Amino acid sequence: MVVGNPDPIVVGVGHGPIGAAVGFAVAEASRLGCGVHLVHAVPANGPGLVAQSPIEHERRGRAVLREALEQALEAPGGAAPVTSGVVEGATVPAIVSAAADARLIVLEHRRRRSSPRVVTRSVAGGVAPRARAPVVCVPSSWSADPRARTDRVTVGVDRPERSHQVLRMAGREASRRESELHVLHAWHLGTAEDALPVDSTVEATWAGVAEAAVELQLDQLGGALEGVATQVEVRHAPAVESLLDASRDSDLLVVALHDLVQPVGSHLGPVTRAVLQDASCPVLLTDPHP
């Protein structure tokens, strides 16, 4: 537990721009009535620390945190308490440990060409399946300006019959934000057939079946969606393209982590990984299981 700041929103702070993640965290803290805790991981002492001493690592880490703290205090609506701390160890376990009692974990992501010493998609893929709290990845281009709000939360649904948990999470977020819930299911054959026009009857039939399956899952949520305006969209297009397009008109994009078929691999499937790279709005990663 963070002393003097219980159940905070935890922000993973790396070496690089962090203003978007901090702005998002402050706005969420104001909405939830909690605080913000900024955390930076420094490498543990060991043979790998050749270029810099542990003292130098910590000095640089505290400088990074001071800058992030200033941004948090200057962010719009920054009335929530803000604390910070340096933790020793590898980035992923350090963030997970620091966020043991967090309400939310916030990370910032940038383009591939940015510095490798930042909180990146690989960190999100490591933190999200291990943390107790949901993880939100905020693009560096995102702005906390309330005038940019769209009052829409979009959730990506791959297989409707296995989407109960991700729909519940998205519905909760839409309700909390008093926003519309946009449920998006994209289908694409992924073969040479999709290079040709799809018969309109086939497309209509597929869309009808998919929409009915999604509506069934929404009905099973019952009162969880009470008062939430819901729109279901079935789109004949690649999933990545559809989700990125929806992110331009959304305040939040909710996607599920990937179920691993093998004991090793990434919990960020190819679609989620691509979405995290180029989404225009913050992306919430949620476990597909209760």
Side-chain angles (χ1 to χ4, degrees):
M1 177 180 293
V2 180
V3 178
N5 192 0
D7 306 323
I9 293 176
V10 169
V11 182
V13 178
H15 292 280
I18 195 64
V22 167
F24 179 88
V26 168
E28 288 298 290
S30 298
R31 188 178 288 117
L32 291 171
C34 64
V36 174
H37 182 63
L38 310 171
V39 60
H40 176 79
V42 297
N45 192 12
L49 294 179
V50 179
Q52 293 180 332
S53 68
I55 295 176
E56 178 63 17
H57 275 291
E58 183 165 348
R59 185 193 69 78
R60 293 187 66 217
R62 293 195 181 280
V64 167
L65 283 176
R66 280 196 300 272
E67 183 177 346
L69 182 60
E70 290 175 2
Q71 291 177 313
L73 296 176
E74 294 173 0
V82 182
T83 54
S84 64
V86 171
V87 290
E88 185 179 275
T91 302
V92 168
I95 292 176
V96 171
S97 177
D101 297 306
R103 293 195 182 199
L104 187 70
I105 299 172
V106 180
L107 308 173
E108 186 162 331
H109 67 84
R110 288 163 283 281
R111 302 287 182 177
R112 291 186 185 92
R113 57 179 176 271
S114 28
S115 166
R117 294 180 60 81
V118 294
V119 178
T120 62
R121 301 181 317 281
S122 59
V123 174
V127 170
R130 294 170 175 81
R132 295 181 179 180
V135 174
V136 174
C137 297
V138 184
S140 292
S141 58
W142 182 83
S143 170
D145 188 343
R147 293 173 297 181
R149 280 192 58 177
T150 63
D151 293 323
R152 168 183 275 196
V153 172
T154 293
V155 55
V157 171
D158 180 17
R159 298 170 61 182
E161 71 277 7
R162 300 182 64 183
S163 64
H164 189 84
Q165 185 65 14
V166 68
L167 286 171
R168 178 180 294 277
M169 175 67 79
R172 187 191 73 175
E173 290 297 322
S175 176
R176 192 163 59 81
R177 296 163 181 270
E178 298 182 342
S179 298
E180 175 192 62
L181 178 61
H182 175 214
V183 184
L184 176 60
H185 172 75
W187 64 277
H188 190 255
L189 299 178
T191 63
E193 284 83 353
D194 247 328
L196 302 173
V198 176
D199 182 87
S200 58
T201 303
V202 173
E203 185 169 353
T205 300
W206 192 301
V209 170
E211 185 170 345
V214 172
E215 292 284 3
L216 177 62
Q217 294 299 317
L218 291 172
D219 289 343
Q220 291 178 357
L221 289 175
L225 293 180
E226 185 176 354
V228 177
T230 304
Q231 174 200 9
V232 177
E233 178 185 4
V234 177
R235 185 182 300 189
H236 176 210
V240 172
E241 173 189 306
S242 300
L243 290 169
L244 291 179
D245 182 54
S247 76
R248 299 184 186 100
D249 298 311
S250 302
D251 294 322
L252 185 71
L253 180 61
V254 183
V255 295
L257 290 170
H258 186 58
D259 273 329
L260 293 184
V261 177
Q262 301 296 330
V264 295
S266 172
H267 283 273
L268 299 181
V271 171
T272 300
R273 190 175 296 277
V275 167
L276 284 183
Q277 179 61 42
D278 292 311
S280 300
C281 71
V283 179
L284 187 152
L285 303 172
T286 183
D287 193 321
H289 307 289

